[in-house]
């Protein structure tokens, strides 16, 4: 009905309850459409070939539906298309190589569809205007094709949650506009590429859950990163101290590697740090005293390392803290009073250290605490009755102490 309006150029029916198929004739008369958004509905069945008849179309968003079958190769004949978003459907088959003909395309988003195992089409390297390439969860295998080195305008690359193998390509470091690279949950191997300092716009880098080896490059840590995730790899060596200089860093996840050395002493001093997890490594030394200097820190997770010394008194002033997990380290001394009473803390896990002193009565201030885990330390004195005031407490473990 709407397509009878000859002047109609924009049609946005996103986020409704439309639950039918998209008939072949539904948009046959929409010859002047530039913008079509049917995302977040319950549309089913195949994507009709007739959409390819809308030669003026620049934006096509069918994401968040239940479309099935293959991506029509005919979509590659849309000469003006700049955005193609088919994320979160039930599409099968493979990604058509003919999409490489869409030379005006800026945003190609096909993520989270149950495609057959297949390689990234090398023809996508023809899309020289592409800014976003979102192919997460597409059942991709094989190596990242070298033809993608042509896509120098890319700002966002997401190949996560696939079965991609081989090394992270060296040519990727030539992309000076790229802001975000997501490669997690693949089968990538080898070392992180040299030359990452060229990627001066990079803020988010995630290559977690792969088979990467070697060390964390200093030049990567010299970038003003906001988030660095390299957990669940086989990385060795030290964490370059330059990571602490980033004015943007809020997230650092390096757990389950073979990293050694100390954390930078100024970690948190220059950054709005919110979350750090370096568990299951071989770090040693003291916990950085200024890790919560900006007052935005929420999660400190350092389990299964060799950290020693005292818990910094400054953590007692970190009112934003929600989770502290320091299990299985070599920490000693008493826990600062302020740490016991942190108001937003819901998990305090201090298992298997050499901590001593008493459980402070200040714990009455930790009214959000649900898990208090103190076993296998050297705590002494009586259990304060103030623990009985913690209405949200579901687990209290303090075995193998001197209480």
């Amino acid at each position: 009905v709407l397509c009878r309006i000859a002047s109609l150029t924009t049609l946005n029916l996103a986020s409704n309850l439309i639950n039918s198929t998209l008939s072949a004739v539904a948009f046959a008369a929409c010859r002047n459409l530039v913008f079509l958004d049917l995302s977040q509905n319950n549309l089913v069945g195949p994507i009709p070939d007739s959409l390819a008849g809308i030669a003026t179309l620049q934006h096509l968003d069918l994401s968040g539906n239940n479309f099935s079958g293959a991506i029509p190769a005919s979509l590659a004949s849309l000469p003006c298309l700049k955005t193609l978003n088919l994320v979160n459907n039930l599409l099968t088959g493979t990604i058509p190589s003919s999409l490489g003909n869409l030379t005006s395309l800026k945003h190609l988003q096909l993520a989270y569809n149950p495609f057959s195992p297949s390689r990234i089409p090398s023809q996508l390297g023809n899309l020289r205007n592409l800014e976003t390439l979102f192919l997460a969860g597409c059942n991709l295998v094989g190596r990242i094709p070298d033809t993608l080195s042509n896509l120098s305008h890319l700002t966002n690359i997401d190949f996560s949650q696939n079965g991609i193998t081989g090394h992270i390509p060296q040519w990727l470091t030539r992309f000076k506009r790229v802001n975000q690279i997501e490669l997690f949950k693949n089968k990538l191997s080898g070392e992180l590429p040299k030359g990452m300092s060229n990627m001066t716009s990079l803020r988010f880098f995630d290559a977690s859950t792969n088979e990467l080896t070697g060390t964390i490059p200093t030049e990567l840590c010299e970038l003003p990163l906001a988030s660095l995730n390299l957990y669940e790899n086989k990385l060795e060596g030290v964490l370059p101290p330059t990571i602490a200089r980033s004015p943007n860093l809020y997230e650092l996840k390096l757990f389950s590697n073979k990293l050694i050395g100390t954390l930078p002493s100024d970690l948190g001093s220059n950054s709005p740090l919110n979350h750090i997890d370096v568990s299951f490594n071989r770090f040693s030394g003291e916990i950085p005293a200024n890790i919560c200097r900006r007052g935005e820190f929420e999660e400190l997770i350092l389990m299964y390392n060799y950290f020693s010394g005292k818990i910094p008194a400054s953590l007692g002033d970190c009112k934003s803290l929600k989770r502290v997990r320091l299990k299985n380290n070599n920490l000693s001394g008493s826990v600062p009073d302020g740490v016991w009473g942190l108001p937003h803390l819901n998990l305090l896990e201090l298992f298997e250290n050499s901590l001593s002193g008493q459980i402070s009565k200040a714990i009455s201030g930790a009214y959000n605490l649900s898990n208090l885990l103190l076993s296998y330390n050297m705590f002494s004195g009586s259990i304060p009755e103030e623990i009985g005031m913690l209405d949200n407490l579901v687990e209290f473990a303090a075995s193998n102490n001197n209480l």
Side-chain angles (χ1 to χ4, degrees):
V1 176
L2 290 171
C3 288
R4 295 174 185 170
I5 306 171
S7 59
L8 189 68
T9 60
T10 298
L11 181 57
N12 189 342
L13 297 174
S15 299
N16 279 288
L17 301 173
I18 305 170
N19 60 0
S20 63
T21 58
L22 204 57
S23 71
V25 297
F27 296 97
C30 290
R31 295 300 179 183
N32 297 313
L33 267 186
V34 173
F35 184 102
L36 177 58
D37 190 342
L38 301 176
S39 63
Q40 307 302 320
N41 280 287
N42 295 311
L43 291 163
V44 298
I47 297 172
D49 280 303
S50 57
L51 289 175
I54 312 174
T56 53
L57 200 60
Q58 295 182 19
H59 180 100
L60 177 59
D61 190 344
L62 303 178
S63 62
N65 283 285
N66 292 308
F67 285 112
S68 56
I71 297 174
S74 58
L75 292 183
S77 64
L78 290 167
C80 302
L81 198 64
K82 294 182 179 179
T83 298
L84 177 60
N85 189 344
L86 305 178
V87 171
N88 273 324
N89 277 284
L90 301 173
L91 298 170
T92 53
T94 61
I95 296 173
S97 60
S98 58
L99 294 182
N101 297 330
L102 294 169
T103 53
S104 296
L105 205 62
K106 290 187 175 182
H107 307 283
L108 179 58
Q109 298 156 290
L110 307 177
Y112 307 120
N113 279 287
F115 295 118
S116 301
S118 57
R119 295 175 179 268
I120 299 172
S122 61
Q123 291 83 353
L124 298 187
N126 298 329
L127 307 177
R128 293 175 182 265
N129 293 306
L130 207 62
E131 297 174 7
T132 303
L133 184 54
F134 187 21
L135 302 181
C138 286
N139 212 2
L140 298 171
V141 298
R143 295 173 178 264
I144 299 172
D146 287 338
T147 54
L148 300 192
S149 64
N150 297 325
L151 308 183
S152 59
H153 290 172
L154 279 174
T155 62
N156 193 318
I157 303 169
D158 193 338
F159 295 154
S160 62
Q161 301 179 70
N162 283 292
I164 298 172
T165 55
H167 293 186
I168 298 174
Q170 179 69 40
W171 48 257
L172 195 62
T173 65
R174 301 200 300 266
F175 288 5
K176 293 189 175 183
R177 300 185 185 187
V178 69
N179 174 267
Q180 183 167 7
I181 298 176
E182 304 289 340
L183 302 173
F184 63 90
K185 288 190 179 177
N186 277 287
K187 297 178 181 179
L188 294 165
S189 58
E191 299 187 3
L192 290 164
K194 299 184 186 304
M196 298 187 83
S197 58
N198 295 326
M199 297 189 290
T200 51
S201 299
L202 188 64
R203 298 295 178 269
F204 305 90
F205 185 72
D206 192 339
S208 303
T209 317
N210 279 286
E211 299 169 11
L212 299 174
T213 55
T215 60
I216 300 174
T218 297
E219 56 186 346
L220 172 61
C221 294
E222 289 175 343
L223 296 171
L225 296 171
S227 173
L228 177 60
N229 290 342
L230 294 171
Y231 58 85
E232 292 180 344
N233 278 289
K234 301 174 183 178
L235 297 170
E236 300 178 323
V238 301
L239 174 63
T242 49
I243 190 68
R245 299 176 194 166
S246 171
N248 306 309
L249 190 69
Y250 73 88
E251 180 180 56
L252 181 63
K253 294 182 180 179
L254 306 174
F255 61 86
S256 298
N257 279 287
K258 301 176 183 179
L259 300 171
I260 60 172
T262 61
L263 294 181
S265 60
D266 55 344
L267 187 63
S269 296
N270 308 304
S271 312
L273 203 58
N274 178 273
H275 182 117
I276 178 171
D277 189 345
V278 299
S279 300
F280 298 97
N281 279 288
R282 300 168 187 172
F283 285 112
S284 57
E286 297 186 348
I287 299 171
N290 294 318
I291 204 163
C292 186
R293 185 173 183 178
R294 294 290 187 91
E296 301 175 26
F297 199 51
E298 294 186 2
E299 298 196 15
L300 176 63
I301 306 177
L302 309 179
M303 301 183 297
Y304 292 93
N305 280 285
Y306 300 99
F307 289 107
S308 58
K310 295 183 177 182
I311 296 173
S314 57
L315 280 184
D317 298 321
C318 191
K319 307 301 182 185
S320 54
L321 262 177
K322 295 181 179 179
R323 300 174 75 217
V324 174
R325 307 192 70 184
L326 305 178
K327 179 180 180 179
N328 205 312
N329 279 285
N330 297 320
L331 298 170
S332 58
S334 58
V335 177
D337 271 6
V339 173
W340 290 115
L342 288 169
H344 297 293
L345 198 65
N346 58 59
L347 171 60
L348 180 59
E349 185 174 7
L350 305 177
F351 272 0
E352 297 173 319
N353 281 283
S354 298
L355 297 165
S356 58
Q358 297 187 346
I359 302 173
S360 172
K361 292 184 178 183
I363 201 167
S364 61
Y367 44 82
N368 280 303
L369 197 62
S370 60
N371 300 83
L372 179 58
L373 310 176
L374 309 176
S375 297
Y376 294 95
N377 278 286
M378 299 166 62
F379 292 116
S380 58
S382 58
I383 297 173
E385 62 183 25
E386 283 79 5
I387 287 183
M389 301 167 59
L390 304 179
D391 293 338
N392 293 307
L393 194 66
V394 297
E395 183 180 12
F396 176 42
S399 62
N400 295 90
N401 279 283
N402 298 317
L403 297 169

